[in-house]
Amino acid sequence: MFDLTREIMQTLRNNRLRTALTGVSVAWGIFMLIILLGMSRGVYNSFNSGFMAQASNSMQVWGGRTDRPYHGYKEGRTITMHGSDADAIMNEGNIHVRSALPVIYGSTVTISTPRDYMSAYYEGIYPEYLKTQGHSITYGRNINEADIREGRKVIVMAERNVNQLFESAEEAVGQYVTINKLSFRVIGVYKSEWGQNVYIPYSTARMLNGFSEDINAMVVEVQDMKTIQQGEQVETVVRETLAREHEFSPDDKAAVWIWNRFTNHMKMSDGLGILDMAIWIIGIFTMLSGVIGVSNIMFVSVRERTHEIGIRRAIGAGPRSVLTQIIMESVFITGLFGYIGVVFGIAVTEILNIMFADAEFIKDPTVTVAIALQVTLVLIAAGSLAGLFPALKALKVKPVEALRTE
């Protein structure tokens, strides 16, 4: 190993300028690959914290307006969903439907405390609803089944709202706010980058609406789905069930609007996968120019050391020994300058992470350990490939002819 290392260093000293210029090409290719992969990771992280934060295993349903006649009804009929529609969907027994949650959208109300007041929309929900909207409770607790069963006047508010009405979000939990002359106890505070609605139990919202069966939306949670086809199948089941309950054509997509988050997630994931693959291809082709340069250096090295290779072969060195030496020299050169590119690439991604700290379209554009390992494998493969053909040429050198070479 010592002799091999000494020979590699001797090769670098004999071709300083050529090695440096070629090494810059390798370093630049790896540098650009790291930057591109970091930016791709940033886009994925942004997607993960934004769209993915709203649970991808759900679909949201709203009533619409029919655009075709059906069973004696004219087109243009407004479809208003009922709370019983959720039970009808659950009774279908589809294995991929985990739950169906009716939602009531309230009007704008004034929420006040002795300290201040504000206006906001309220929504009557079931406990699982907050998760489907990507909200996480930071103080207190979420609405629970007991709140639904007893119709309690409790409320969950956004952090930005309670900071206006109370001294702090933590202090707000357990305190009371006034909504339309009714007192509601704050039981939880959630954090969201964009949401600011307030949430009350579904049964309490029904009471405020005169116990009407009408609902404004429904969230269908799904489970154990892996393909877009499964997501579309559940969407069809939901639409056909509502069509039967409200007597509109199952093919009338305007009658109810369905936002299928699962299929959207799958399609966007596929798109990000294609983007990641394209970046790898671009980065590898960028690095290819440097790899070709390393291969040229090794061809020159083989030609200059023809006499040496002949002597080694004449005194008993086997083909494997010569092959190993040439390939290891190539891997060393590629790896040395490649890791210089990796170091500078990681440094730049860290700078980009600071620059885009407040950006929404890209988050944490840094490389992970997995990506670093993948780049390492690319470096080893590239170095081996660069040295393979020169090494094969070295094996073709006949000892007798090589000894005649000066």
Side-chain angles (χ1 to χ4, degrees), residues 375-388:
V375 172
T376 300
L377 293 177
V378 169
L379 282 173
I380 294 173
S384 300
L385 182 63
L388 178 61

Side-chain angles (χ1 to χ4, degrees), residues 115 118 139 156-170 172-173 177 186 188-190:
R115 184 171 187 262
M118 57 169 292
Y139 299 101
V156 174
M157 303 181 67
E159 192 171 304
R160 65 179 71 179
N161 292 339
V162 295
N163 286 334
Q164 179 179 340
L165 300 177
F166 298 95
E167 291 292 335
S168 66
E170 187 174 8
V173 177
V177 298
V186 179
V189 178
Y190 71 90

Side-chain angles (χ1 to χ4, degrees), residues 297-307 309 326 390-391 393-395 397:
I297 286 181
M298 299 313 301
F299 271 117
V300 172
S301 176
V302 168
R303 186 174 64 248
E304 291 177 347
R305 296 157 61 187
T306 302
H307 191 71
I309 293 172
I326 303 299
K393 182 180 179 181
L395 292 180
V397 176

Side-chain angles (χ1 to χ4, degrees), residues 94-225:
N94 188 283
I95 61 173
H96 297 301
V97 176
R98 178 183 178 187
S99 65
L101 311 172
V103 182
I104 295 175
Y105 295 157
S107 57
T108 304
V109 294
T110 299
I111 305 174
S112 62
T113 64
R115 184 171 187 262
D116 204 348
Y117 70 93
M118 57 169 292
S119 296
Y121 290 98
Y122 72 85
E123 295 184 29
I125 64 168
Y126 279 84
E128 297 86 351
Y129 181 75
L130 281 183
K131 181 180 64 176
T132 68
Q133 302 305 299
H135 302 330
S136 58
I137 300 294
T138 53
Y139 299 101
R141 65 172 177 84
N142 189 13
I143 292 170
N144 59 30
E145 292 296 335
D147 298 327
I148 301 289
R149 185 173 57 253
E150 299 175 15
R152 294 172 179 171
K153 290 191 286 292
V154 294
I155 188 171
V156 174
M157 303 181 67
E159 192 171 304
R160 65 179 71 179
N161 292 339
V162 295
N163 286 334
Q164 179 179 340
L165 300 177
F166 298 95
E167 291 292 335
S168 66
E170 187 174 8
E171 178 192 311
V173 177
Q175 302 297 317
Y176 287 85
V177 298
T178 301
I179 302 177
N180 291 350
K181 299 181 180 181
L182 296 175
S183 291
F184 282 75
R185 185 165 63 91
V186 179
I187 59 170
V189 178
Y190 71 90
K191 184 175 183 180
S192 173
E193 295 183 3
W194 50 270
Q196 57 182 350
N197 289 350
V198 298
Y199 300 101
I200 63 176
Y202 174 78
S203 56
T204 307
R206 276 198 66 208
M207 179 186 67
L208 295 178
N209 286 359
F211 295 98
S212 171
E213 277 292 322
D214 294 349
I215 62 174
N216 302 98
M218 181 165 48
V219 174
V220 179
E221 288 189 296
V222 296
Q223 61 186 357
D224 301 328
M225 296 202 307

